[in-house]
Amino acid sequence: MTETPGRPASNLPPLSLHIPEPRYRPGDTPDFGDIAIPAVDATPRPGEATKPDAMRDLCYGLVRVLDFDGQAKGPWDPKLTPDRLRAMLRYMMLVRAFDDRMFRAQRQGKTSFYMKSTGEEATSVASTMAIDRSDMCFPSYRQQGILIVRDYPLIQMMNQIYSNRGDHLLGRQLPIMYSAPEHGFFSISGNLATQYPQAVGWAMASASKGDNRIATVWCGEGSSAEGDFHSALTFATVYNAPVIFNVVNNQWAISSFSGFAGGERTTFAARAVGYGIAGLRVDGNDPLAVYAATQWAADRARTNNGPTLIEHFTYRAEGHSTSDDPSAYRAADEATAWPFGDPIARLAQHLETLGEWDGERQEALRKELDDLVKTTQKQSEKLGILGHGMHQPFETMFQDVFEEMPWHLKEQSKQMLAEQEAKFGPNWKPE
Amino acid sequence: MNMIEAINSAMDVMLGRDDKMVVMGEDVGFFGGVFRATAGLQKKHGKTRVFDTPINECGIIGVAVGMGAYGLRPVPEIQFADYIYPGLDQLVSEAARLRYRSAGDFICPMTVRTPFGGGIFGGQTHSQSPESIMTHICGVKTVIPSNPYDAKGLLIAAIEDNDPVVFLEPKRIYNGPFSGYYDRPVEPWSKHEASAVPEDYYCIELGKAATVRAGEALTILAYGTMVHVTKTIVEEMGVDAEIIDLRTLLPLDIDAIETSVKKTGRCLIIHEATRTSGFGAELAALVQERCFYHLEAPVERVTGFDTPYPHSLEWAYFPGPVRIATALTKILKD
Ligand SMILES: Cc1ncc(C[n+]2csc(CCOP(=O)(O)OP(=O)(O)O)c2C)c(N)n1
């Protein structure tokens, strides 16, 4: 044992540093048998006005509604009508169809980048369905389900992904970083978790005006390690802001597993405890549980009972993005071994058990949505795809830096136009 | 009014005129701010309009972005400019970009007020001048007043502006114009004509410099505290300098600079911030690009040194009378 100068010798073992390691790596056979799955009716549903410290257990349990036989049970069952359930299924299936097409479009070189939400569709679709149309959503980058639920035109999403001449954002943003204020969808940032305090500010503004709109915000479990996350929770608890925090715990942040965000020690919902706000841990692959939890949190927020943190316990069934190859860092069949199944299949099964759905209708719907996405894609591609021509007037590059363009930007714009004119001639028009 | 009173008055007037405006920051509510800039505002305008925040600059600026997106007009205070760094990402990546990245869907009409600069024995974390970092961010305006009249007019213009503005308040001159001689008493603002501040609304357009003193021998570009230090030395030396107070660093009044330097043929730039990559470097490059054939001497810079602000040696750091006089002698000799 080495002796530290100035310290007495000790027979304590040397300190050791813990570097988290996921349970399974490529080549391993994943087994999630030890994940505690409480029965669907085991988790109580407190009243929306319950004080956070009286419901701490909910941060460590799991809100569930659908059992694995497709039955909805327990106190959290939101008791949705079959029509509403079918609408939910349709939205989730549309998200998946859209994701698949756009993923392929990226592979075909039509755009630079795409991010799927496969397996996580419920965490955006069901939660958006449970809030009011006038509430503002502050998404991260895997919540395309919000736009789909709010019937944002698919073609506009595609135009943005292709940065084509129909792109409402003028080709400035990375694909999937949409902005749609009239659909209650805040502009997406590339910097993780920055939307968290912004959502709180928006919610505080609504409360200070005496309005009744609330804010919802999403981030991944990886991003919950950002300082902004903790800033947001601090402000929300201090001012009792009407906001719902969603942490989508899909187990992986690119190649870093949830342990690098502190997930080995406690749940992400339990972060609520330290702030004295309500926390719920929810089966994120159970659309009805997601719906019920969000509805509970929304009612709570809207009745001035404050913020709620919801951890959606789920699994990222695909790569992080088109730039990622998950087979390099995780076991091949983790997604299938994941014990909570697929949210779309679970909802379809539930409708079937109600006698409101069947395999034929499922297949017909799948085909209808595929066709819808395909036709829309064709229309969007008529407006251009990334890299095939420049689709926006060059001078748009200098617009919107400020409300009015200052002299230095006018000068730089002129310089750039001269450069482009030298290249393309004076009569160039966007393709 | 002194500078603090003028800043207070600007917020008071605007809180009265625009019910969307809110003031927030550490200690700004009941207490009225550690420099008393928000004194009395909460009592007059209510707790939801003027309130204390957690010590969390990322939260203060991030929350203000969300409030701006809702349609409010937040005026967050960062207690010292040195603490803007914990909130810098929300300023750089969010507030400054929101209009651009959303193609005008969302805007961020916030004014971040913060006291900056040294000379008050604040040590290295209560004395910094981060203006060049601010001007390097695309989408943020940077304003620095040098007297009470300007402070009120510029702050009102900043609050009314629909873009994010960083409003840097030279705290050394909150109470009176500083001569640059730390061992001499500071005159109160009341002896200065700029202390005649109207109680009511007025504004001073952003992006317009002021000529503090007309002259023929050289042009001196300065802002904030350094305007007064410069004026003292120029008067002591009897130099016929034209002193331009930039007032807004971005957008910059390039016409005022160009006209003056072309007239005088010499340009000295003075700021308290550290030298390397300081705003003086930008000014020197602009003057050189636009006035090269009119220049009779190299453009000079007088600045703070490239060290953190030292507590006990702050007057050795400060670009005071000796450094300015030396530069003046040199530039006029060339
Ligand atoms: C501030 C910041 N740091 C790093 C990145 C790079 N980055 C993009 S996505 C990502 C992983 C995020 O993981 P998580 O929050 O769990 O969300 P998920 O992708 O799993 O949905 C990282 C590190 C970034 N965009 N922003």
Side-chain angles (χ1 to χ4, degrees):
Chain A
M1 152 151 307
T2 50
E3 230 177 283
T4 314
R7 290 189 97 213
S10 140
N11 51 14
L12 286 171
L15 291 167
S16 66
L17 186 67
H18 172 67
I19 308 292
E21 191 52 49
R23 292 160 67 188
Y24 307 109
R25 283 298 193 190
D28 295 341
T29 306
D31 175 5
F32 294 113
D34 60 333
I35 291 183
I37 306 177
V40 278
D41 50 5
T43 310
R45 185 186 185 284
E48 286 84 351
T50 306
K51 295 265 178 287
D53 54 2
M55 49 174 286
R56 283 185 191 173
D57 288 352
L58 285 152
C59 297
Y60 304 95
L62 205 60
V63 172
R64 299 184 61 214
V65 172
L66 285 179
D67 69 17
F68 296 123
D69 299 324
Q71 306 277 352
K73 283 189 195 135
W76 285 92
D77 181 2
K79 302 209 161 47
L80 303 180
T81 63
D83 280 346
R84 195 97 171 115
L85 293 171
R86 274 188 291 261
M88 189 184 274
L89 181 67
R90 185 175 195 280
Y91 287 136
M92 292 205 293
M93 287 173 66
L94 183 51
V95 171
R96 190 164 292 182
F98 186 88
D99 277 0
D100 285 345
R101 266 274 120 209
M102 291 294 100
F103 188 92
R104 236 180 302 158
Q106 191 277 340
R107 290 294 190 246
Q108 292 162 345
K110 293 173 177 172
T111 188
S112 57
F113 180 79
Y114 192 74
M115 293 183 111
K116 286 179 146 187
S117 61
T118 313
E120 300 174 37
E121 291 88 348
T123 63
S124 57
V125 167
S127 59
T128 307
M129 287 181 76
I131 57 173
D132 204 82
R133 181 62 180 71
S134 65
D135 296 332
M136 182 62 104
C137 301
F138 288 76
S140 179
Y141 46 66
R142 228 182 277 284
Q143 281 76 43
Q144 46 270 56
I146 301 168
L147 289 173
I148 301 266
V149 167
R150 291 187 165 178
D151 297 322
Y152 186 72
L154 287 188
I155 187 160
Q156 295 225 61
M157 295 172 74
M158 289 181 182
N159 293 344
Q160 197 282 327
I161 289 164
Y162 289 138
S163 278
N164 65 17
R165 71 180 154 280
D167 176 10
H168 158 62
L169 301 180
L170 307 172
R172 291 175 185 160
Q173 279 267 49
L174 196 66
I176 62 101
M177 302 224 167
Y178 318 101
S179 167
E182 66 291 359
H183 289 74
F185 187 96
F186 193 70
S187 151
I188 299 181
S189 175
N191 284 31
L192 293 172
T194 51
Q195 70 279 13
Y196 250 63
Q198 295 166 6
V200 176
W202 197 96
M204 286 171 65
S206 177
S208 81
K209 288 270 121 203
D211 297 340
N212 52 25
R213 302 166 71 188
I214 65 170
T216 52
V217 58
W218 283 259
C219 77
E221 89 291 346
S223 316
S224 74
E226 286 284 357
D228 299 60
F229 177 90
H230 302 274
S231 297
L233 266 63
T234 302
F235 274 72
T237 190
V238 167
Y239 303 106
N240 204 39
V243 58
I244 304 173
F245 298 112
N246 294 286
V247 174
V248 181
N249 176 5
N250 65 9
Q251 315 300 324
W252 290 93
I254 313 188
S255 73
S256 307
F257 84 113
S258 58
F260 285 99
E264 286 178 326
R265 312 287 177 191
T266 186
T267 68
F268 290 93
R271 313 231 148 154
V273 173
Y275 292 95
I277 69 176
L280 295 173
R281 191 159 171 272
V282 174
D283 174 359
N285 291 15
D286 175 346
L288 295 188
V290 170
Y291 185 100
T294 308
Q295 188 180 42
W296 183 92
D299 286 348
R300 184 176 178 87
R302 229 180 290 281
T303 50
N304 268 319
N305 286 295
T308 303
L309 171 65
I310 302 176
E311 173 186 351
H312 302 267
F313 193 65
T314 180
Y315 188 85
R316 193 189 79 209
E318 294 265 3
H320 169 75
S321 71
T322 45
S323 316
D324 176 42
D325 172 15
S327 71
Y329 55 79
R330 72 183 186 194
D333 33 9
E334 250 189 39
T336 40
W338 190 248
F340 296 91
D342 175 83
I344 292 178
R346 284 178 68 185
L347 185 56
Q349 183 197 21
H350 174 55
L351 272 161
E352 277 189 49
T353 61
L354 295 177
E356 296 284 348
W357 199 243
D358 56 54
E360 223 169 278
R361 288 161 86 176
Q362 173 83 3
E363 184 47 29
L365 179 58
R366 198 193 54 74
K367 192 153 176 326
E368 178 203 320
L369 296 174
D370 273 353
D371 288 346
L372 171 66
V373 171
K374 216 184 294 178
T375 328
T376 315
Q377 184 189 21
K378 284 208 185 100
Q379 288 164 2
S380 175
E381 289 180 2
K382 282 202 193 115
L383 303 176
I385 54 174
L386 186 69
H388 287 230
M390 279 172 273
H391 306 298
Q392 305 293 336
F394 289 119
E395 56 271 28
T396 58
M397 184 163 103
F398 292 90
Q399 292 162 0
D400 300 317
V401 179
F402 295 104
E403 186 172 32
E404 280 165 37
M405 205 182 287
W407 65 268
H408 66 287
L409 288 178
K410 284 186 188 147
E411 280 192 8
Q412 291 170 24
S413 173
K414 239 201 227 155
Q415 177 193 347
M416 182 270 304
L417 286 173
E419 285 170 12
Q420 301 311 322
E421 199 177 304
K423 247 199 242 165
F424 299 104
N427 299 320
W428 183 86
K429 286 251 173 330
E431 287 165 38
Chain B
M1 287 185 200
N2 67 23
M3 202 126 149
I4 284 287
E5 290 159 343
I7 286 162
N8 182 284
S9 170
M11 286 187 276
D12 185 21
V13 166
M14 291 309 291
L15 281 163
R17 280 170 74 98
D18 183 353
D19 67 4
K20 293 194 283 305
M21 176 179 159
V22 291
V23 170
M24 56 198 275
E26 293 153 24
D27 305 299
V28 305
F30 183 81
F31 179 56
V34 291
F35 289 101
R36 320 293 298 133
T38 55
L41 296 181
Q42 183 178 72
K43 193 152 189 237
K44 182 160 168 195
H45 299 281
K47 285 210 283 191
T48 56
R49 307 283 310 281
V50 181
F51 55 86
D52 291 330
T53 61
I55 304 167
N56 188 318
E57 290 74 15
C58 161
I60 293 171
I61 299 178
V63 157
V65 172
M67 290 178 158
Y70 193 88
L72 300 189
R73 207 168 268 284
V75 183
E77 175 182 296
I78 300 295
Q79 203 157 68
F80 288 86
D82 313 65
Y83 308 127
I84 213 160
Y85 303 126
L88 201 59
D89 183 48
Q90 285 287 347
L91 196 63
V92 177
S93 316
E94 303 298 317
R97 301 278 177 76
L98 193 53
R99 180 191 291 280
Y100 192 79
R101 80 178 195 216
S102 70
D105 280 352
F106 296 96
I107 62 168
C108 188
M110 75 156 79
T111 301
V112 181
R113 287 182 42 247
T114 186
F116 85 115
I120 60 149
F121 284 109
Q124 39 89 31
T125 58
H126 297 82
S127 308
Q128 294 167 71
S129 298
E131 70 270 18
S132 74
I133 296 176
M134 300 304 142
T135 60
H136 198 62
I137 305 170
C138 311
V140 167
K141 295 177 178 172
T142 303
V143 179
I144 301 179
S146 73
N147 62 65
Y149 183 87
D150 285 2
K152 177 166 174 181
L154 289 166
L155 182 53
I156 286 177
I159 293 169
E160 289 187 322
D161 200 284
N162 284 329
D163 291 312
V165 179
V166 175
F167 192 84
L168 295 169
E169 301 169 3
K171 57 181 172 293
R172 189 68 181 79
I173 57 170
Y174 269 157
N175 295 317
F178 175 57
S179 67
Y181 292 99
Y182 61 90
D183 44 0
R184 290 183 196 167
V186 173
E187 266 198 351
W189 276 114
S190 55
K191 300 218 169 136
H192 197 283
E193 59 180 20
S195 70
V197 177
E199 297 283 341
D200 299 336
Y201 172 93
Y202 65 94
C203 68
I204 297 175
E205 194 187 337
L206 305 184
K208 295 271 178 277
T211 305
V212 175
R213 184 187 188 286
E216 301 293 331
L218 84 159
T219 299
I220 302 181
L221 305 178
Y223 47 88
T225 303
M226 298 317 295
V227 169
H228 303 283
V229 180
T230 304
K231 197 156 159 264
T232 312
I233 317 307
V234 160
E235 280 164 8
E236 271 181 10
M237 290 176 70
V239 175
D240 186 21
E242 181 144 299
I243 303 177
I244 296 185
D245 175 359
L246 296 176
R247 300 202 290 198
T248 309
L249 304 194
L250 200 137
L252 183 67
D253 189 346
I254 192 66
D255 294 337
I257 296 172
E258 209 175 314
T259 309
S260 175
V261 176
K262 282 184 176 163
K263 180 180 79 172
T264 63
R266 289 178 159 85
C267 181
L268 177 64
I269 296 156
I270 302 186
H271 63 61
E272 190 185 324
T274 50
R275 187 178 188 84
T276 301
S277 305
F279 194 66
E282 179 62 34
L283 291 171
L286 284 168
V287 167
Q288 186 276 134
E289 280 166 11
R290 281 160 199 263
C291 311
F292 185 74
Y293 293 107
H294 296 79
L295 287 174
E296 289 160 33
V299 178
E300 290 278 332
R301 282 182 289 167
V302 173
T303 68
F305 295 126
D306 287 343
T307 70
Y309 221 101
H311 180 237
S312 68
L313 295 177
E314 68 175 2
W315 295 115
Y317 171 96
F318 192 83
V322 174
R323 209 172 305 153
I324 295 176
T326 310
L328 274 172
T329 310
K330 178 163 180 253
I331 198 171
L332 289 172
K333 204 167 61 192
D334 276 329

